[in-house]
Amino acid sequence: MRYGIFGDVHGNLEALEAVIAAMEEDGVEKYLCLGDLVGYGANPGECVDRIRELEAVTVIGNHDYAVLDLLDISEFNMYAQEAIFFSQKALSAAQLKWLKELPLTADVDERLTLFHGTLDQPEQFHYLEVVEDAELSFELLETPVGFFGHTHVPLVVEEDEETIGVVEADEVELEEGCRYLVNPGSVGQPRDGIPDAAYGLYDDATDTVTIYRVEYDIETAQQKIRDAHLPEFLAERLAGGW
Ligand code: ZN
């Protein structure tokens, strides 16, 4: 079985369509979404509908929480806040209801766990950026592999019997006796200096996780942000991947 794992879509429909097309070509049979379907981009409702169509197993992210008024957004920067207000108006009652029913964590086929930020206090949306951040999530992880998002930066962390360390590779063959936490990067707003949309593929036949990047129509996504009168900053950053 091939699983397509993606998250931090952030209302960027052009990036999402490019990633879905790539995953279809990869022969993905099951879709897993790591949250933050909305915020920042101009097409939050369309992205929600597309992900529902995929029947993706989906966990909720902090921007999804924010549009539902479940999160105090005074800590968001003003660009993110504006995008939350825009998304609240853009989403239908049915789309909001669907988002509200999403869980904070999900187990898939007794092998994979999904969450947005960290497994400890998932509703607090802490950032898992470095090896030290991974310890608490490994303690709570009940499957061999966990997938997460939130930082918009791809990361693979491996735990063997003695140590926890970062694996510097886009393709990782999972080793027996080890456990893994994998961030496949962001579909709609990559922040690692590479503007291409990111997603992950897990193949349980070869027990391999691969992180892929795909080009998408950035100009159209930027123009839609401008047309929606969202902050120019949100359009600019897509071209630089920051
Ligand atoms: Zn995000």
Side-chain angles (χ1 to χ4, degrees):
M1 166 97 83
R2 288 187 173 182
Y3 300 80
I5 309 110
F6 65 100
D8 293 290
V9 177
H10 287 296
N12 186 337
L13 186 62
E14 286 66 36
L16 178 62
E17 292 294 1
V19 163
I20 291 171
M23 289 191 292
E24 280 174 357
E25 217 164 283
D26 292 334
V28 164
E29 292 155 272
K30 201 177 245 189
Y31 295 92
L32 313 177
C33 178
L34 303 168
D36 273 4
L37 290 73
V38 306
Y40 297 131
N43 290 120
E46 292 82 352
C47 289
V48 167
D49 287 346
R50 199 69 179 87
I51 290 162
R52 286 179 71 176
E53 274 168 34
L54 294 175
E55 296 182 24
V57 178
T58 305
V59 291
I60 199 161
N62 57 318
H63 287 250
D64 311 315
Y65 240 46
V67 295
L68 297 165
D69 284 328
L70 295 172
L71 196 75
D72 171 14
I73 62 165
S74 60
E75 280 177 32
F76 275 31
N77 65 50
M78 60 193 231
Y79 311 109
Q81 287 187 9
E82 272 193 57
I84 292 301
F85 299 138
F86 170 82
S87 299
Q88 284 175 329
K89 280 185 227 139
L91 292 164
S92 70
Q95 288 161 341
L96 287 166
K97 184 170 178 283
W98 183 82
L99 283 175
K100 200 165 191 173
E101 283 162 10
L102 295 176
L104 282 157
T105 66
D107 282 7
V108 180
D109 299 339
E110 293 169 9
R111 179 133 187 96
L112 314 175
T113 302
L114 315 181
F115 55 97
H116 186 66
T118 56
L119 263 183
D120 53 298
Q121 300 179 302
E123 74 290 350
Q124 296 291 325
F125 302 105
H126 302 302
Y127 289 91
L128 202 168
E129 290 173 298
V130 293
V131 164
E132 293 73 43
D133 302 332
E135 284 172 20
L136 279 173
S137 290
F138 270 124
E139 269 175 38
L140 294 162
L141 185 68
E142 291 177 350
T143 60
V145 191
F147 286 99
F148 65 100
H150 197 32
T151 66
H152 299 205
V153 176
L155 180 72
V156 181
V157 187
E158 181 185 78
E159 179 208 59
D160 64 20
E161 273 152 38
E162 284 145 25
T163 57
I164 298 176
V166 171
V167 183
E168 301 278 359
D170 293 335
E171 184 168 313
V172 182
E173 215 173 298
L174 307 187
E175 284 177 50
E176 190 87 40
C178 292
R179 298 193 303 160
Y180 296 84
L181 289 172
V182 179
N183 184 335
S186 167
V187 172
Q189 196 193 77
R191 293 182 192 158
D192 59 350
I194 302 168
D196 298 340
Y199 71 98
L201 186 81
Y202 170 63
D203 188 335
D204 69 356
T206 57
D207 220 14
T208 303
V209 172
T210 312
I211 297 171
Y212 290 105
R213 305 303 285 258
V214 279
E215 287 181 15
Y216 74 96
D217 184 355
I218 292 176
E219 287 78 20
T220 298
Q222 290 177 310
Q223 192 54 48
K224 285 182 176 178
I225 286 171
R226 293 180 181 121
D227 292 345
H229 306 293
L230 282 158
E232 172 62 22
F233 172 78
L234 297 178
E236 271 172 27
R237 64 188 303 173
L238 296 180
W242 43 269

